[in-house]
Amino acid sequence: MSGMPELNLSDNMRNLRAANEYSQQEVSDMLHIARQTYSLYETGKRIPDTMTVCRLADIYQIPVETLLFGSFVNGQLADHPAHYHTAAGPDNS
């Protein structure tokens, strides 16, 4: 399906954690989950549930949409046009 933004969650989880100098154990403790579970999220072998995604966005003080679809480099949101989308699609007026 074209036009669908790319899910960058696992990469963003890893990059944001590293940029904030958190260990996997520290983040998993904040989320009240096992470190092994968190590791599976970062490797993309599992996808976190909605509440976990919301808590991660809160930890990093970013919108959920940015956590899911943004592109972080060294903890900073990369200037990436695919990030700027709306549910209705681009405004071509």
Side-chain angles (χ1 to χ4, degrees), residues 10-24:
S10 60
D11 288 340
N12 288 342
M13 289 175 67
R14 186 173 46 258
N15 291 335
L16 285 164
R17 178 182 57 77
N20 284 276
E21 299 182 357
Y22 292 137
S23 67
Q24 285 188 345

Side-chain angles (χ1 to χ4, degrees), residues 29-42:
D29 287 348
M30 288 185 258
L31 296 172
H32 307 290
I33 61 173
R35 190 209 53 81
Q36 293 86 349
T37 301
Y38 182 83
S39 178
L40 292 172
Y41 296 157
E42 277 197 4

Side-chain angles (χ1 to χ4, degrees), residues 18-69:
N20 284 276
E21 299 182 357
Y22 292 137
S23 67
Q24 285 188 345
Q25 186 65 57
E26 288 172 315
V27 177
S28 61
D29 287 348
M30 288 185 258
L31 296 172
H32 307 290
I33 61 173
R35 190 209 53 81
Q36 293 86 349
T37 301
Y38 182 83
S39 178
L40 292 172
Y41 296 157
E42 277 197 4
T43 58
K45 293 179 182 172
R46 285 186 60 186
I47 297 174
D49 63 33
T50 304
M51 288 308 300
T52 301
V53 172
C54 290
R55 286 193 299 247
L56 279 165
D58 189 49
I59 288 168
Y60 297 118
Q61 299 181 348
I62 59 173
V64 169
E65 180 180 32
T66 302
L67 179 61
L68 294 171
F69 303 111

